[in-house]
Amino acid sequence: MNGAVIVITGAQGALGRSVADLALARGAHVAGIDHAQAEIPASDDRIELGGVDLSDPEQAKVAIDSVAAHFGTLDALINIAGAFAFENAAEGDDSVWEKMHARNLMTALHTSRAAIPHLVRSSTGRIVNIGAMGALQAGAGMGPYAASKSGVHRLTEALAAEWKGKITVNAVLPSTIDTPANRASMPKADFDKWVTPQELAEVILFLASDAASGVTGALIPVVGRM
């Protein structure tokens, strides 16, 4: 990945940080985009854009265009930005469904639309989305989240078909990720069975690499040691 320019949304989360650190270690240039304010100082190989609402298409375009202008190119987009909410479908509020739709699906759509004009000019244009194993069959309370992540799966497949031969578009489907937030919300779970951010980062960066040039439209489960 030496010299590749990679945009990571949700870059300040546990998974985003792991992907960014691994990409930098492999010689990539990294641009992090997040709704939270940027915390990491800029360097020759890394910039951070904070305070960006990627559910707003104009903010997404401005952020992506500024990254491409800064580095002169864009080779890969990794859509990690998202959110989770647990709510029973029959008893819940529409606002939760709307929030999940905006945070999980529309962020990926807006950043992908903004990045595609830049990615097609790269010889190795890549989009990697984050879906969810829980979206393959929704359990109780998982309706809003699963519906939005199922949308990410379908978006991945559609973009892969539309840009075949020009950009590869794939998604990883993690089971529960071993993050501090998930440990706090599920303290009695067996953390050893969860997928780690580092394991996910390896799969994500493979899909963003030259080695994955023949893979597109794939939805790849990453389940740890369940």
Side-chain angles (χ1 to χ4, degrees), residues 87-183:
E87 183 174 84
N88 290 329
E91 303 162 0
D93 191 291
D94 285 357
S95 65
V96 176
W97 291 77
E98 292 163 358
K99 177 181 176 180
M100 291 298 96
H101 179 79
R103 297 280 185 88
N104 292 324
L105 176 58
M106 299 310 291
T107 56
L109 174 62
H110 293 156
T111 51
S112 295
R113 280 177 170 169
I116 283 170
H118 303 289
L119 293 172
V120 294
R121 292 194 287 270
S122 170
S123 60
T124 58
R126 307 277 187 266
I127 297 174
V128 183
N129 295 322
I130 308 300
M133 286 292 292
L136 299 179
Q137 181 173 356
M142 294 289 287
Y145 177 77
S148 66
K149 284 296 189 178
S150 180
V152 173
H153 300 177
R154 304 291 82 81
L155 171 64
T156 299
E157 293 166 338
L159 288 176
E162 291 166 6
W163 293 94
K164 188 174 182 179
K166 297 179 180 178
I167 301 170
T168 69
V169 188
N170 297 287
V172 296
L173 281 55
S175 57
T176 305
I177 306 173
D178 189 0
T179 66
N182 283 338
R183 287 191 178 212

Side-chain angles (χ1 to χ4, degrees), residues 3-223:
V5 176
I6 300 176
V7 173
I8 301 170
T9 73
Q12 294 190 43
L15 178 57
R17 290 194 300 270
S18 291
V19 175
D21 289 346
L22 185 58
L24 287 164
R26 293 181 177 174
H29 302 299
V30 170
I33 303 175
D34 206 291
H35 191 265
Q37 292 300 321
E39 298 177 351
I40 300 172
S43 66
D44 290 343
D45 296 328
R46 185 172 192 165
I47 60 171
E48 296 283 332
L49 285 69
V52 181
D53 181 1
L54 295 173
S55 66
D56 178 338
E58 185 58 30
Q59 290 190 44
K61 185 177 187 306
V62 169
I64 293 292
D65 287 350
S66 67
V67 172
H70 179 85
F71 286 115
T73 189
L74 181 60
D75 299 301
L77 168 65
I78 300 173
N79 282 314
I80 298 175
F84 175 80
F86 184 91
E87 183 174 84
N88 290 329
E91 303 162 0
D93 191 291
D94 285 357
S95 65
V96 176
W97 291 77
E98 292 163 358
K99 177 181 176 180
M100 291 298 96
H101 179 79
R103 297 280 185 88
N104 292 324
L105 176 58
M106 299 310 291
T107 56
L109 174 62
H110 293 156
T111 51
S112 295
R113 280 177 170 169
I116 283 170
H118 303 289
L119 293 172
V120 294
R121 292 194 287 270
S122 170
S123 60
T124 58
R126 307 277 187 266
I127 297 174
V128 183
N129 295 322
I130 308 300
M133 286 292 292
L136 299 179
Q137 181 173 356
M142 294 289 287
Y145 177 77
S148 66
K149 284 296 189 178
S150 180
V152 173
H153 300 177
R154 304 291 82 81
L155 171 64
T156 299
E157 293 166 338
L159 288 176
E162 291 166 6
W163 293 94
K164 188 174 182 179
K166 297 179 180 178
I167 301 170
T168 69
V169 188
N170 297 287
V172 296
L173 281 55
S175 57
T176 305
I177 306 173
D178 189 0
T179 66
N182 283 338
R183 287 191 178 212
S185 65
M186 294 175 276
K188 295 182 180 180
D190 185 352
F191 307 142
D192 289 337
K193 292 183 178 180
W194 290 356
V195 61
T196 68
Q198 293 76 21
E199 289 170 330
L200 268 175
E202 290 283 358
V203 179
I204 289 167
L205 289 183
F206 166 73
L207 293 171
S209 73
D210 292 347
S213 61
V215 183
T216 195
L219 306 177
I220 301 175
V222 184
V223 298

